[in-house]
Amino acid sequence: MDQSSMEKLIIVTREPDGITTITINRPKSLNSLTRALMKISLRRSGRAFCSGVDLTAAEDVFKGDVKDLESDTVAQMERCPKPIIGAINGFAVTAGFEISLACDILIAAKGAKFMDTHARFGIFPSWGLSQKLSRIIGPNKAREVSLTSLPLNAEDAERWGLVNHVVEQGEVLNKARQVASAILKNNQGLVLKYKAVINDGLKLEMGRALALEKVRAHDYYDGMTKDQFKKMQEFIAGRSSQKPSSKL
């Protein structure tokens, strides 16, 4: 697939405020994934966020090198140091579900659904769904979602801790921008380090995770100059004089 074709299937919009929106633009195929399309996506064009792998290209997709992290969409998303906000409309099915789980924050429209169809079609999970979902919603609920291949609606997903916010149809991207704007108002260097310590700590048991936080906090403050401490104090003083928003 040539570069011009890829640019039509993956739409990247960079805005002056620092927010970048990446859209899968294959609505006629419900944004199903081919090997060439396996790139990061934050929202969708059409009726589905992502309906999974295009099964007409299944052999090409599934027989690729599973150790090739450069072509692994989810691995690349997990490497991204900046916060990734997923805007979910319609269905997020299997690979689309796994892409959703690689996001840091999820906003879903009322009526959105998450489906794991690995068991239905005989596809072995390789983008983390079998391990991540149980750690978010609990093993019993995760087993039901994955072994039945029945849809999980947005409202239950929010109640179980998978989705951050459920909003009206047409308001998903606005809510995602609102959350992104709130993040952008903060110290961006600390935002990146905070995301990293949260995500890295989740891979450890609690004692080691707390120790990791201590080490990184020490390294952070030990590396700051007097001028940086002064700027931090000025920043805090400036923010404290502003009335904070009551909610996201």
Side-chain angles (χ1 to χ4, degrees):
M1 182 175 291
D2 59 41
Q3 185 64 28
S4 62
S5 297
M6 276 300 301
E7 288 173 354
K8 294 176 183 178
L9 295 174
I10 299 288
I11 300 174
V12 180
T13 306
R14 294 181 175 86
E15 300 176 22
D17 58 6
I19 298 173
T20 297
T21 303
I22 303 173
T23 306
I24 297 178
N25 187 40
R26 203 179 179 221
K28 291 182 180 179
S29 299
L30 297 180
N31 295 320
S32 58
L33 300 177
T34 61
R35 190 164 185 79
L37 248 181
M38 290 193 172
K39 306 292 181 184
I40 296 177
S41 129
L42 296 189
R43 64 186 291 253
R44 65 86 179 110
S45 172
R47 294 181 291 124
F49 172 74
C50 177
S51 60
V53 167
D54 185 342
L55 294 181
T56 64
E59 184 174 0
D60 181 44
V61 171
F62 296 135
K63 286 196 173 182
D65 184 357
V66 295
K67 295 180 181 179
D68 180 12
L69 297 183
E70 297 305 317
S71 64
D72 186 322
T73 303
V74 169
Q76 291 301 312
M77 291 177 71
E78 290 172 344
R79 284 179 172 186
C80 179
K82 297 182 179 181
I84 299 176
I85 302 171
I88 314 297
N89 273 312
F91 282 84
V93 181
T94 311
F97 199 165
E98 290 174 307
I99 288 173
S100 300
L101 290 174
C103 294
D104 299 297
I105 296 169
L106 287 178
I107 315 297
K110 291 181 178 178
K113 291 181 173 62
F114 300 85
M115 285 185 70
D116 179 5
T117 60
H118 284 104
R120 179 174 297 177
F121 295 110
I123 302 169
F124 204 94
S126 60
W127 275 0
L129 207 159
S130 68
Q131 303 304 309
K132 292 180 181 177
L133 187 62
S134 62
R135 287 163 168 79
I136 297 171
I137 68 173
N140 287 357
K141 288 184 173 68
R143 279 190 284 263
E144 181 177 357
V145 169
S146 295
L147 301 184
T148 65
S149 297
L150 294 175
L152 169 62
N153 64 52
E155 291 75 16
D156 283 339
E158 181 185 35
R159 188 160 46 249
W160 294 353
L162 173 63
V163 166
N164 295 76
H165 302 280
V166 176
V167 298
E168 297 292 336
Q169 289 279 354
E171 289 300 313
V172 177
L173 194 56
N174 288 337
K175 184 63 178 179
R177 290 181 188 279
Q178 184 183 352
V179 174
S181 295
I183 293 172
L184 282 170
K185 291 177 182 178
N186 294 326
N187 181 304
Q188 291 308 292
L190 197 282
V191 165
L192 302 184
K193 292 179 183 298
Y194 212 150
K195 170 183 167 172
V197 77
I198 291 171
N199 290 357
D200 292 344
L202 284 170
K203 302 170 187 175
L204 308 173
E205 55 87 17
M206 181 60 78
R208 292 177 62 196
L210 290 172
L212 175 70
E213 182 192 65
K214 291 282 189 186
V215 169
R216 292 197 183 176
H218 178 271
D219 291 344
Y220 179 73
Y221 291 120
D222 196 46
M224 288 179 65
T225 64
K226 288 184 178 182
D227 186 54
Q228 287 174 319
F229 273 109
K230 183 180 178 180
K231 287 181 179 179
M232 180 177 69
Q233 292 164 352
E234 290 172 349
F235 180 80
I236 293 170
R239 288 296 297 270
S240 63
S241 65
Q242 302 172 14
K243 184 178 180 180
S245 174
S246 59
K247 63 179 181 179
L248 282 174

